Structures are given as C-alpha cells and as structure tokens.
Amino acid sequence: MLRINNLSVSYGPVAALRGIDLTVEAGETVALVGSNGAGKSTTLKAISGLVPPSGGTIEFLGETLNGLKPEAIVERGIVHVPEGRRIFPRLSVEQNLEVGAYSARAAMRRRRIREEVYALFPRLRERRQQMGGSLSGGEQQMLAFGRAMMAQPTLLLLDEPSLGLAPIIVEEVIRAIAHFRAEGVTILLVEQNAELALTLSARGYVLETGQVVLTDESQTLITHPKVWASYLGEK
Ligand code: ATP
C-alpha cells in the first residue's frame, strides 16, 4: 500500500533522513521506533507532504505522492495525527471533530462517524461544547483520535500517541488503535515507547540517525539484543 524508496530529507544542512526504505501493506500495523532525533517524525511528515523529500520516492496505492500538497494527500486517505495532538484550543470539542471531516471523502458520513467517536469516547460527548484547550492531555489525545476518525483514513500516521500520558490513558490509546485496526485501517505507528509500539504492531523498523538499522517482525524485534539494549533494557 505504502512504498518508500531511498527517502532522504534535509533541514538545511541537517540530514534528517538518509535513504530509508519502508513498506506498509494494506491492513498492517507497522511500528517505527528509535531514539530522539532518529528521524521518525520526519518520516511521517514526508509521507503527509509537510516536508519535501530531497531524494527518493513515496508511493501510495501505486501513485507517487512526491510533490503533492498536504490537502491532496489527505484526500487520498492518509491522515496524520502529529506529536503533541495539535487540536484547536479555541474551538469546541465538536468543532474540532468537524474540522477532521472537512475533506470531500469524509463529509458525507460525518454524522454517523461523529456518533461512533462519541460511543468510543463518551467523555468527548460530555464535553462536546467545551473548548479543546480546556481538556486534559489525555482527553486532547482522544480528541485527536476522534478527529482522525472523522477524516476516514485508509492509512493512519500516528506520532507518539502515548507521549506524556498516564498509564490509564495509554490504555485508551490502545483501545483507539484497536478500533482503527478493527475498521481495517492501515497504521504506521511512531513511538519512543518501543515496547508499546512493538506490542501493538506486526512488523517494525528501527531508525538510527536517519537510517533503518533493523527491520523484522515485531515479536522478533522485541527480543532482539540491540533493541533491548537501546530501547527496552533500562525500563
Ligand atoms: P523526536 O521523537 O524527538 O521527534 P524523531 O525521531 O521524530 O525524534 P525527527 O523529529 O524526525 O526525529 O528529527 C530528525 C532530525 O532532524 C533531528 O536531528 C532533528 O534535530 C532534525 N530536525 C527536525 N525538525 C527540524 C527542523 N524543523 N529544523 C531543523 N532540524 C530539524
């Protein structure tokens, strides 16, 4: 479904990605792990058109995404939930959800999906008239998931959904990811919490300083000495 070949991205003189290859098949959940600054967020931003590649190709459903604007990429069914949620603090919960359904592909089914969001996260229904900025961090993450559901993704890009959340809220994140999977949504999951990401995924990639250093089935990676030493051992 998603095919990335030899992708490079630079921020001025900083080479953030140095020729990565990565594939995601339809219906898969794939993890992208690695330490701070490894290039995980940049990979997601390149897929969703927020940063331009300096080399390589990104193909989705057989079509190249290079050079497309972020709006055009959303229309193709790729929805990015960025690190730090990025909800609109001065819009209500319900207005935030409506923003998610702005694309033509999502608008038709918006009412039904909004009900699905509220069924999954009753707390959002209770708070639907409240400003997004008044929600707790965990509620904002739920709202970011709800907004992504409203956009009806084919491929969901999740950047650090568990970051800074209490364990009980991380359970909610896991529930939301399970919901997307049950709907057949393909997921590329970025996490510094490698254990969580590898538990939730079938396959994974390990990034180090802008390069893929390991890729395998997640259950193999989770016991791999290198992954253990670098990302899991200190827990
Ligand atoms: P994190 O979890 O901290 O976001 P990451 O693995 O997602 O880490 P990236 O955010 O993709 O890593 O960053 C990769 C490299 O690119 C790092 O060296 C980072 O400092 C650099 N970088 C990221 N964004 C910018 C930017 N806007 N301008 C300049 N350099 C950047």
Side-chain angles (χ1 to χ4, degrees), residues 160-209:
E160 305 270 6
S162 81
L163 191 72
L165 299 180
I168 189 159
I169 309 293
V170 173
E171 291 299 318
E172 292 274 295
V173 168
I174 293 169
R175 211 159 59 85
I177 292 173
H179 177 86
F180 280 109
R181 288 169 62 160
E183 297 274 304
V185 177
T186 306
I187 302 174
L188 182 56
L189 171 64
V190 160
E191 267 293 341
Q192 271 192 56
N193 182 343
E195 190 172 14
L196 177 69
L198 294 173
T199 306
L200 292 173
S201 58
R203 286 194 303 121
Y205 291 82
V206 180
L207 273 188
E208 261 176 28
T209 56

Side-chain angles (χ1 to χ4, degrees), residues 11 14-16 34-43 45 83 159-160 190 192:
Y11 299 102
V14 181
S35 51
N36 238 321
K40 307 181 298 298
S41 299
T42 300
T43 305
K45 286 177 188 164
E83 190 175 339
D159 199 348
E160 305 270 6
V190 160
Q192 271 192 56

Side-chain angles (χ1 to χ4, degrees), residues 125-230:
R125 189 199 297 278
E126 286 165 25
R127 308 199 158 209
R128 65 183 182 277
Q129 307 300 349
Q130 272 184 232
M131 294 293 118
S134 72
L135 302 181
S136 70
E139 289 164 350
Q140 290 190 13
Q141 182 64 63
M142 296 311 116
L143 182 54
F145 275 123
R147 194 173 57 185
M149 283 171 68
M150 295 292 285
Q152 288 285 282
T154 304
L155 171 65
L156 184 64
L157 308 175
L158 293 178
D159 199 348
E160 305 270 6
S162 81
L163 191 72
L165 299 180
I168 189 159
I169 309 293
V170 173
E171 291 299 318
E172 292 274 295
V173 168
I174 293 169
R175 211 159 59 85
I177 292 173
H179 177 86
F180 280 109
R181 288 169 62 160
E183 297 274 304
V185 177
T186 306
I187 302 174
L188 182 56
L189 171 64
V190 160
E191 267 293 341
Q192 271 192 56
N193 182 343
E195 190 172 14
L196 177 69
L198 294 173
T199 306
L200 292 173
S201 58
R203 286 194 303 121
Y205 291 82
V206 180
L207 273 188
E208 261 176 28
T209 56
Q211 289 179 310
V212 174
V213 292
L214 265 180
T215 177
D216 212 323
E217 291 184 359
S218 297
Q219 60 184 29
T220 306
L221 285 179
I222 212 165
T223 54
H224 191 288
K226 182 170 168 57
V227 175
W228 189 257
S230 305

